[in-house]
Amino acid sequence: MLLTNEILETIIDCAYEWIVVVDTDGQIVYINQNYCQFLEIEKGDALGRHVTEVIENSRMHIVARTGKEEIADLQYIKGNYMIANRIPLFSNGRLFGALGTVIFRDTKEWNRMNSHIKSLLPRLQTYLQDWNESSGAKYTLQDIKSVSAAMRELKQKVKSVASGDISVLIRGESGTGKELFAHSIHSLSPRSHQPFIKVNCGAIPEHLLESELFGYEEGAFTGAKKGGKKGKFVLAHGGTIFLDEIGDMPLNMQVKLLRVLQEKEVESVGSLKPIPVDVRVIAATNRPLEKMIEEKRFREDLFYRIHVVPFKIPPLRERPEDIPYLTDYFLEKISRRAGKRVTTFDEEVRRVFDRYHWPGNLRELENVVEAAVHLTDGERITLSSLPESLMGDPKVLIGQLSLKEILEETEKRILERTLEQFHHDKLEAAKALGISKSSMYEKIKKYRLEGNF
């Protein structure tokens, strides 16, 4: 009996294993229905997307690129370990993708196996967790939340450059998510199972930076610990080193860093024997490096060494379409973590968010939402729940309210906070504001504040 394509697809869709096929770019070209049901995604929504955006902890894109099979690999998916097989696909000697299968999908059957594994591996899991926290990448492209076209292009750029060993310079204001991009590049690279070491060049005192980066030998200086210490470059061997705030690195260290990048070897403090290192360098800064080069504060040769592939992350104010999306995302995440039922924002709060300049970018937005969640008593976040640092800037209201309305809104907030400060004693609040008791009562009535206390 000849099997039609329709019958074959039905058989594969109903197969015991979950099945996924990707091309050499890591894009999903086929996924069976059983896998889609487990992942809670429609097949049409999965096809064409990068496999790491659909399946957590996937390595299918790496197998599809390297042609090296991975058999019986433990993969953590949706709270449980699964057993994954990843097979490269060849046609006439040419690699054209990879086939992945996952078994032990039955919950009851896997729970027995999963419990057994978990009972055997608690120490290993603790070790792996500690290792990931200290030397592993914690974020992937899925952690970069955005709906803007500019950010979509950057995420696509990450997929394009991740497979190579070229240096990357990530630029952007503080709080835009530079570190997330660095983690994502490492996670998608062939070095993803090797160390990811982060160094904040601006946070380490200048006299300690050399020993932190390159290590030191025993007895190299007073206070050097017994046995010496490995530097960050040696710890990152085989993996990626992320030099954050590289624009804050002093000139003398820039010279030594350039030599390491050129010679691919380091000399620890107190040693004359170089140590070969194989690391990929990702750097980040919010400093104007070109201007610093003109002012002789940053080396031009180092700039071109790290500036092979530049990334420029736009600030939040330049992608306003992301603001409502991110506020809702942060609200859900923070409310769940805080154990509070806060579900939405008043429209006037959203207008404030739209008008605000967000100098601290995503970090500031998340902090504002977190503060508002803790300050609100209801299910909606109102203007009174916003931090003073945000509401104290009248620019956020310009363009949406008249001058009279802005003044009235400011007066209302001052009255509310003064009454709270004096435990709702109207006479004391009136004295503090330099107004009569009758004026205080008139304003309380005007702004309908009586019911608030």
Side-chain angles (χ1 to χ4, degrees):
M1 180 182 69
L2 293 175
L3 297 178
T4 65
N5 288 341
E6 183 178 351
I7 295 175
L8 281 172
E9 185 165 349
T10 301
I11 292 172
I12 296 172
D13 269 343
C14 298
Y16 178 78
E17 294 88 355
W18 296 325
I19 298 171
V20 63
V21 179
V22 303
D23 61 20
T24 52
D25 292 324
Q27 310 290 333
I28 295 176
V29 297
Y30 178 80
I31 184 168
N32 71 340
Q33 190 59 39
N34 275 345
Y35 208 168
C36 289
Q37 289 174 356
F38 172 74
L39 296 172
E40 298 179 334
I41 189 173
E42 294 294 328
K43 183 181 290 189
D45 293 334
L47 296 176
R49 293 174 63 183
H50 197 273
V51 66
T52 56
E53 297 178 1
V54 177
I55 304 171
E56 61 181 313
N57 300 313
S58 177
R59 288 178 51 82
M60 288 290 295
H61 56 295
I62 296 175
V63 173
R65 185 177 61 248
T66 63
K68 297 179 181 179
E69 68 178 25
E70 297 180 356
I71 304 298
D73 186 32
L74 281 178
Q75 183 172 343
Y76 196 69
I77 308 177
K78 297 188 72 172
N80 278 309
Y81 288 104
M82 307 293 177
I83 296 180
N85 297 313
R86 309 179 188 99
I87 310 295
L89 299 175
F90 292 91
S91 177
N92 297 322
R94 184 180 65 86
L95 179 66
F96 67 90
L99 165 69
T101 60
V102 178
I103 59 176
F104 285 114
R105 63 177 177 80
D106 181 78
T107 305
K108 292 181 180 178
E109 180 181 354
W110 177 244
N111 279 342
R112 291 194 296 270
M113 179 68 74
N114 193 44
S115 297
H116 179 59
I117 291 177
K118 285 182 177 177
S119 70
L120 295 175
L121 300 180
R123 292 185 180 179
L124 178 59
Q125 288 175 338
T126 301
Y127 169 78
L128 289 173
Q129 181 179 352
D130 291 343
W131 184 86
N132 280 329
E133 287 177 356
S134 62
S135 62
K138 297 182 288 186
Y139 307 110
T140 67
L141 282 181
Q142 292 175 288
D143 295 301
I144 301 174
K145 307 297 181 182
S146 174
V147 293
S148 72
M151 294 296 282
R152 279 200 305 271
E153 290 178 8
L154 282 179
K155 291 171 78 170
Q156 191 61 44
K157 192 174 183 180
V158 167
K159 298 173 188 177
S160 300
V161 305
S163 60
D165 265 349
I166 51 179
S167 300
V168 176
L169 177 62
I170 304 172
R171 311 183 73 168
E173 296 177 5
S174 177
T176 51
K178 297 188 290 296
E179 186 172 346
L180 293 180
F181 277 92
H183 282 249
S184 299
I185 292 170
H186 175 77
S187 296
L188 286 175
S189 76
R191 298 174 179 264
S192 60
H193 279 198
Q194 299 299 323
F196 177 86
I197 303 295
K198 176 189 172 183
V199 182
N200 190 324
C201 301
I204 302 173
E206 183 174 343
H207 67 283
L208 296 178
L209 188 55
E210 182 176 5
S211 60
E212 280 293 316
L213 287 176
F214 311 134
Y216 58 81
E217 298 295 309
E218 180 177 343
F221 50 83
T222 303
K225 71 178 184 180
K226 188 176 181 180
K229 178 183 177 181
K230 291 182 179 180
K232 301 295 188 182
F233 270 87
V234 172
L235 293 174
H237 181 68
T240 303
I241 189 164
F242 175 42
L243 301 176
D244 198 10
E245 304 299 345
I246 195 170
D248 294 334
M249 181 178 286
L251 276 171
N252 66 312
M253 283 304 303
Q254 292 177 32
V255 176
K256 296 178 180 180
L257 173 61
L258 180 63
R259 182 183 178 280
V260 170
L261 299 183
Q262 290 173 336
E263 305 297 331
K264 300 188 184 302
E265 60 184 25
V266 300
E267 283 187 11
S268 57
V269 178
S271 172
L272 299 177
K273 183 181 179 181
I275 304 170
V277 289
D278 169 27
V279 296
R280 182 185 193 171
V281 175
I282 301 176
T285 185
N286 60 2
R287 305 286 295 274
L289 296 186
E290 291 85 354
K291 183 178 180 183
M292 293 176 67
I293 291 171
E294 294 177 4
E295 297 171 350
K296 307 298 183 185
R297 292 188 294 132
F298 198 85
R299 291 186 62 95
E300 187 174 13
D301 44 7
L302 177 59
F303 174 77
Y304 288 115
R305 174 68 64 170
I306 64 174
H307 195 254
V308 179
V309 177
F311 272 76
K312 178 68 169 70
I313 305 176
L316 189 56
R317 62 184 174 275
E318 292 182 9
R319 41 190 174 103
E321 64 270 36
D322 275 344
I323 294 175
Y325 173 77
L326 288 168
T327 51
D328 288 338
Y329 167 74
F330 289 142
L331 178 64
E332 180 183 358
K333 183 180 80 169
I334 294 166
S335 297
R336 185 170 59 247
R337 187 174 65 210
K340 298 186 70 173
R341 181 177 172 80
V342 185
T343 59
T344 189
F345 300 87
D346 278 355
E347 284 305 312
E348 55 189 356
V349 173
R350 291 191 183 275
R351 287 196 295 269
V352 167
F353 285 171
D354 289 340
R355 297 292 301 179
Y356 188 60
H357 193 60
W358 297 113
N361 293 291
L362 278 73
R363 188 180 296 124
E364 182 182 15
L365 176 59
E366 183 172 9
N367 289 341
V368 165
V369 174
E370 183 164 18
V373 167
H374 288 285
L375 289 172
T376 190
D377 294 324
E379 295 187 5
R380 302 174 65 86
I381 289 180
T382 63
L383 284 177
S384 61
S385 304
L386 297 184
E388 291 187 20
S389 58
L390 187 73
M391 294 307 300
D393 185 357
K395 294 193 297 294
V396 300
L397 300 174
I398 296 173
Q400 65 186 40
L401 298 178
S402 67
L403 177 60
K404 179 182 178 183
E405 290 171 327
I406 293 174
L407 293 174
E408 288 179 342
E409 181 63 36
T410 303
E411 184 178 51
K412 178 183 176 182
R413 290 202 305 272
I414 292 172
L415 287 168
E416 286 177 323
R417 290 166 185 168
T418 305
L419 285 165
E420 288 174 1
Q421 181 181 343
F422 288 95
H423 307 289
H424 314 142
D425 186 320
K426 301 177 185 63
L427 182 57
E428 289 300 318
K431 288 180 180 178
L433 293 173
I435 60 176
S436 65
K437 185 178 180 180
S438 59
S439 294
M440 173 62 77
Y441 276 97
E442 287 175 5
K443 294 180 185 296
I444 288 174
K445 182 177 180 180
K446 174 183 178 180
Y447 296 121
R448 299 178 182 178
L449 299 178
E450 189 66 52
N452 295 343
F453 304 107

